[in-house]
Amino acid sequence: MTAPPFKIAIAGLGTVGGGVMKALATRQDELSERARRALLVSGVSARDRKKARGFDLPGWQDDPLALAKGDADLVVELIGGDEGAARALVETALANGKHVVTANKALLAKHGRALALLAEKNNVALKFEAAAAGGIPIVKTLRESLIAYEVEAVKGILNGTCNYILSEMEGSGRPFAEVLADAQKLGYAEADPTLDIGGGDTAHKLTLLASLAFGTAPALDAVQVEGIGHITPDDIAFASEFGFRIRLLGVARRMEDGIDQKVHPAMVRARSPLAHVSGAQNGVTVDAGAAGAFFFSGRGAGEAPTASAVIADIVEAAAGAPGPVFGRPAALLAPLKPADGKAALSSWYLRFEVLDMPGVLAAIAGHLSEAGVSIESMIQRGRAPGEPVAIVMITHEASQAAVENALKAIAASDKVRARPCMIPMET
Ligand SMILES: NC(=O)c1ccc[n+]([C@@H]2O[C@H](COP(=O)([O-])OP(=O)(O)OC[C@H]3O[C@@H](n4cnc5c(N)ncnc54)[C@H](OP(=O)(O)O)[C@@H]3O)[C@@H](O)[C@H]2O)c1
């Protein structure tokens, strides 16, 4: 190898940063051969220098920004967060002509286009394979492989915490809050799980996949987001009776009037590939137009899968030309034109908790019919006398707007106990 060593500075030495340090140390020769240059960690930074980490800290800096101003060829940002230290580090590194590799979906979902412009202006790489679906190489696939035909849709189970919780609820019949508490004890869920269970993390990742798939600037504000906190064991049991499973999906699809981006719990057919993504796994389907449909699954988080994606980006940046960040020059990324997602048609699963008294069913059916929503099938399940009754319906195709209008009227009725639940059926 005649080229000078490729100097790497790593900021953030937690789960992912630690994994990257260990993998670089143990596989240095093999990875350097692939990069056709010796890979050398020349600087590191984190919050606490004294923390025991199990690896050396070459070129330690208390301030991560120093890494962006030093002699490194590439800066790896593994701090996290859409502002603060992470944003300052990435901006400074790119402005100083250094390649950047990051796993930070929140940062890119919010500032992706501006950062891509900065990278391309300075002719350096900005790579983010680990930011969406962890170890699954879906970013590279959408950026470089499935490009010959127009992508019609990308759908993914992109948050392992939510998928773990839904899978556990399915397997054990236990309620959401109990399973979440266990997931926190086992380290599958954060102490503050809001970003995961509220759907925000999935929205960050979906934004990036949509940008790569459709050639639009990342548009986080255009994602309609609903989390999984309202899903009950009943919903999961009913889904199973109808031959479906409930998964939190990020869905981006081309519609006639623009791009529809949504995060929501969805009923997926029990025999579909996404239904078989269980536990903390991730899964992504891509409808690549004439090229057909593709399905990818694997580990979406954790030390080794995420480090695997980061290392692939490092080696690629060390070996070759940077290439446009989102697959097309950032200046050509069109602003995303949001489709009217509420007009999109779907069949719906609806669950009502009602008081068992005459006329309830007729009242629900009446409101649905007034909104133009027709019922395909129904299950009514009684409990002990005097207890509320669950009524579950599957509708024929109807728009989200029509179903929401009907549910608003139904919820206002004194016969319905809780907010009705509506979940789209994925086809
Ligand atoms: N964990 C995963 O499975 C996973 C998967 C995909 C993507 N990601 C993304 O990868 C990034 C890192 O995640 P992680 O799970 O590795 O986080 P983590 O375990 O919490 O590690 C964060 C690291 O950043 C350091 N840090 C925090 N604030 C800092 C500051 N102001 N200046 C310097 N260093 C600072 C911490 O220092 P100390 O160690 O001294 O506290 C720690 O080493 C995030 O963007 C995350 O979204 C993570």
Side-chain angles (χ1 to χ4, degrees), residues 32 125 188 190 272 304 330 337 402-403 416:
S32 297
Y188 286 124
E190 303 276 346
S272 71
K337 182 169 176 291
V403 175
V416 177

Side-chain angles (χ1 to χ4, degrees), residues 349-427:
Y349 161 95
L350 308 177
R351 175 178 47 78
F352 306 93
E353 290 276 329
V354 301
L355 298 175
D356 193 7
M357 53 202 274
V360 177
L361 199 52
I364 291 175
H367 286 300
L368 287 169
S369 155
E370 258 168 48
V373 181
S374 60
I375 300 161
E376 186 197 291
S377 52
M378 195 194 87
I379 300 177
Q380 178 171 354
R381 189 128 313 151
R383 311 220 171 142
E387 294 262 303
V389 174
I391 294 179
V392 166
M393 295 172 178
I394 304 293
T395 74
H396 287 292
E397 278 203 332
S399 70
Q400 181 179 340
V403 175
E404 279 177 355
N405 282 341
L407 294 204
K408 208 182 286 171
I410 293 166
S413 139
D414 57 358
K415 298 170 182 112
V416 177
R417 296 227 332 157
R419 188 174 77 117
C421 171
M422 59 186 281
I423 304 177
M425 323 278 291
E426 277 298 317
T427 47

Side-chain angles (χ1 to χ4, degrees), residues 155-164 166-167 194-203 224-231 245-251 262-268 274 277 281-283 423 426:
K155 297 180 191 176
I157 294 170
L158 300 171
N159 184 276
T161 304
C162 288
N163 210 52
Y164 172 82
L166 291 171
S167 303
T194 319
L195 198 58
D196 291 322
I197 63 174
D201 176 74
T202 300
Q224 188 183 313
V225 186
E226 187 188 352
I228 61 166
H230 60 293
I231 301 296
R245 287 185 182 148
I246 299 180
R247 295 285 183 261
L248 183 75
L249 293 191
V251 178
K262 287 193 183 110
V263 173
H264 53 71
M267 295 271 179
V268 295
L274 285 174
V277 176
Q281 299 280 105
N282 280 194
I423 304 177
E426 277 298 317

Side-chain angles (χ1 to χ4, degrees), residues 6 20 23-24 27 31 34-35 39 74 76 101-102 125 127-130 134-137 140 143-144 304-320:
F6 187 76
V20 170
L24 279 175
R27 303 205 63 243
L31 295 170
R34 287 180 179 271
L39 299 179
L74 180 147
V76 186
V101 170
T102 179
K127 295 194 174 287
F128 58 93
E129 184 62 69
I136 303 174
K140 190 177 174 76
R143 192 181 60 221
E144 292 168 28
T306 315
S308 156
V310 170
I311 296 245
D313 280 349
I314 293 174
V315 170
E316 199 172 86

Side-chain angles (χ1 to χ4, degrees), residues 271-348:
R271 62 172 185 274
S272 71
L274 285 174
H276 289 95
V277 176
S278 50
Q281 299 280 105
N282 280 194
V284 183
T285 64
V286 181
D287 174 354
F294 298 86
F295 171 63
F296 308 84
S297 71
R299 290 172 64 193
E303 178 179 311
T306 315
S308 156
V310 170
I311 296 245
D313 280 349
I314 293 174
V315 170
E316 199 172 86
V325 177
F326 287 95
R328 296 107 167 141
L332 300 183
L333 292 175
L336 182 140
K337 182 169 176 291
D340 177 6
K342 296 216 172 194
L345 295 179
S346 162
S347 292
W348 296 85

